[in-house]
Amino acid sequence: MLKKLTFRLERILKFEYWPFWVFYTPVTLIWIWFSLRMRTVVYFSAANPRFFLGGLMLYDKYKAIAHIDSKYLPKVKFYNIPQTEGFHESDFKFPLIFKPNIGERGKDVELIWNSKQLHHMVDKSEENFMLQDYIDYPLEFGVLYYRYPSGKSGITSIVGKQFLYVEGDGISTLKNLILKNIRAENRLDYFKEKFGSRFNEVLPKDAKLLLEEIGNHCRGTTFTNENHLITDQLVSVFDSISESIPDFYYGRFDLKVPSLEDFYKGENIKIFELNGVNSEPAHIYEPGYGLLNAYKDVYENQRIVYEISKENIKKHDIKPNTLIQFLKALKAHFIDQ
């Protein structure tokens, strides 16, 4: 009971655990200010004209990565629901990643180990999906990149990821170890189903067990601030990657890479997702990062989105999405789901 109360207090005091809407409610003031200046509430959609709403929500993930040079991509295939006649599990080797084509924050993304799991996910899926090769590289980063239409570019955030695991003490069951972990205890039923008979197994002392292979904060991953890695050389790498993506100016590349040496050389990078204007400077979720600094970083990125959108609208005659499209998307995203 005491542990639960401690976790509850920590979730209240530390903003990295706050619900999305709680943290971002004050940010709506920034959006309102920029909307008044641009005289349209959907100005941000002009930042990435080929993404629906600039990549705020309900955008096509497969199309987002389709123009990236294939050397930077894992093997990936798109499937329509319910027409999955082209689905052949022999096209891939296990393990692989199952991912809804429209979705956020790791919802329904799963690492698939065998044919039974794969067919279960395909059969229950109600929306189009992708299958991707699983890339087992040791380093995973989210790189938030921007490029003004006039040419200036940069990286505002690099987030590293430490995946969720528990360490055995030779006494506690897996269930009890999960209950002692603030990043895991609120998903107890999920882990019970995932680990089955191992759920009541006692882990040997110092033995580590990876609980979650998907690198999302809401699924227990610890985010780390890796902004010290930002260099002009790295910006050039992402200039090169992004130049093949039509009308793309702002977003986060989620990727894996074998080493920092490869990272800076632009070699062996595998990008498994590209987000649009919904991209956060996710380094702010590092434990202990200050709330005021977090809001400062969010504002700086929102300012960049505004300036890119303004340049596209005023100088390049890009038409943002309409208010009706935006309101329909909000309804579909928050009410209809």
Side-chain angles (χ1 to χ4, degrees):
M1 181 62 71
L2 181 60
K3 178 69 73 173
K4 275 189 170 293
L5 290 174
T6 301
F7 285 166
R8 186 171 299 176
L9 181 62
E10 192 168 349
R11 290 182 184 279
I12 293 172
L13 295 177
K14 295 184 177 180
F15 75 88
E16 71 159 307
Y17 298 114
W18 292 357
F20 178 85
W21 66 269
V22 172
F23 179 80
Y24 273 92
T25 293
V27 179
T28 58
L29 297 175
I30 301 172
W31 167 54
I32 291 170
W33 170 239
F34 287 146
S35 296
L36 291 172
R37 293 175 68 180
M38 285 298 295
R39 300 179 182 176
T40 171
V41 298
V42 204
Y43 67 87
F44 52 82
S45 64
N48 296 316
R50 302 254 184 139
F51 288 30
F52 179 63
L53 293 175
L56 178 69
M57 65 181 93
L58 303 182
Y59 63 96
D60 191 308
K61 290 187 175 184
Y62 182 75
K63 287 183 179 178
I65 63 173
H67 292 282
I68 298 175
D69 190 315
S70 60
K71 70 180 180 181
Y72 296 115
L73 298 176
K75 182 179 178 182
V76 57
K77 194 166 182 180
F78 171 81
Y79 297 93
N80 280 303
I81 292 292
Q83 288 79 28
T84 57
E85 290 86 354
F87 169 67
H88 300 288
E89 64 180 71
S90 60
D91 291 342
F92 290 85
K93 293 182 179 179
F94 295 110
L96 55 83
I97 296 292
F98 177 97
K99 180 184 298 185
N101 192 44
I102 294 177
E104 298 175 23
R105 297 177 174 263
K107 184 177 183 296
D108 293 330
V109 178
E110 294 294 343
L111 178 61
I112 305 298
W113 290 95
N114 54 54
S115 179
K116 181 179 178 181
Q117 282 183 289
L118 178 57
H119 283 276
H120 172 71
M121 292 301 297
V122 171
D123 291 342
K124 80 171 189 176
S125 181
E126 296 180 350
E127 61 180 278
N128 302 336
F129 65 90
M130 291 185 288
L131 296 179
Q132 288 182 335
D133 275 349
Y134 175 64
I135 305 299
D136 190 21
Y137 288 163
L139 300 178
E140 181 168 332
F141 296 117
V143 178
L144 187 48
Y145 168 88
Y146 70 88
R147 176 171 59 87
Y148 285 83
S150 55
K152 178 185 175 183
S153 63
I155 294 171
T156 61
S157 173
I158 299 180
V159 62
K161 300 181 180 183
Q162 296 176 359
F163 292 85
L164 180 63
Y165 72 91
V166 290
E167 185 171 335
D169 57 10
I171 301 172
S172 303
T173 64
L174 174 58
K175 174 184 177 180
N176 288 332
L177 291 173
I178 290 172
L179 287 171
K180 294 176 185 177
N181 189 310
I182 188 173
R183 297 181 185 277
E185 56 90 22
N186 60 338
R187 300 180 68 216
L188 190 67
D189 290 341
Y190 171 82
F191 291 121
K192 182 178 181 180
E193 181 179 354
K194 179 175 181 176
F195 289 100
S197 60
R198 297 194 64 187
F199 199 58
N200 294 308
E201 177 184 312
V202 174
L203 261 66
K205 183 175 175 56
D206 299 326
K208 293 183 178 181
L209 177 65
L210 183 66
L211 296 180
E212 181 61 78
E213 302 90 350
I214 306 300
N216 291 88
H217 190 270
C218 61
R219 295 178 69 156
T221 301
T222 301
F223 281 8
T224 60
N225 180 1
E226 305 297 337
N227 284 354
H228 60 278
L229 298 176
I230 299 173
T231 65
D232 290 342
Q233 180 182 359
L234 194 62
V235 172
S236 295
V237 168
F238 283 89
D239 284 339
S240 178
I241 292 173
S242 66
E243 68 183 8
S244 66
I245 310 172
D247 298 326
F248 168 75
Y249 300 100
Y250 179 93
R252 189 184 67 240
F253 294 89
D254 291 332
L255 59 90
K256 288 188 176 184
V257 66
S259 68
L260 289 179
E261 182 180 5
D262 284 332
F263 197 35
Y264 285 115
K265 288 182 177 180
E267 297 177 353
N268 300 311
I269 292 173
K270 294 298 180 184
I271 298 166
F272 50 87
E273 188 158 316
L274 174 60
N275 299 283
V277 296
N278 65 341
S279 301
E280 300 177 271
H283 69 272
I284 66 174
Y285 295 113
E286 179 178 70
Y289 203 80
L291 180 60
L292 290 179
N293 283 332
Y295 278 128
K296 179 182 176 182
D297 293 347
V298 169
Y299 169 77
E300 177 61 20
N301 280 274
Q302 291 302 307
R303 182 188 63 80
I304 291 171
V305 170
Y306 165 76
E307 291 181 346
I308 291 172
S309 301
K310 180 180 178 180
E311 190 172 325
N312 270 334
I313 293 170
K314 300 293 186 182
K315 295 183 179 180
H316 302 284
D317 200 31
I318 297 296
K319 305 298 182 185
N321 289 115
T322 66
L323 178 60
I324 294 299
Q325 288 175 311
F326 178 52
L327 293 176
K328 285 183 176 180
L330 282 177
K331 179 177 180 292
H333 186 65
F334 292 107
I335 299 176
D336 295 342
Q337 285 189 349

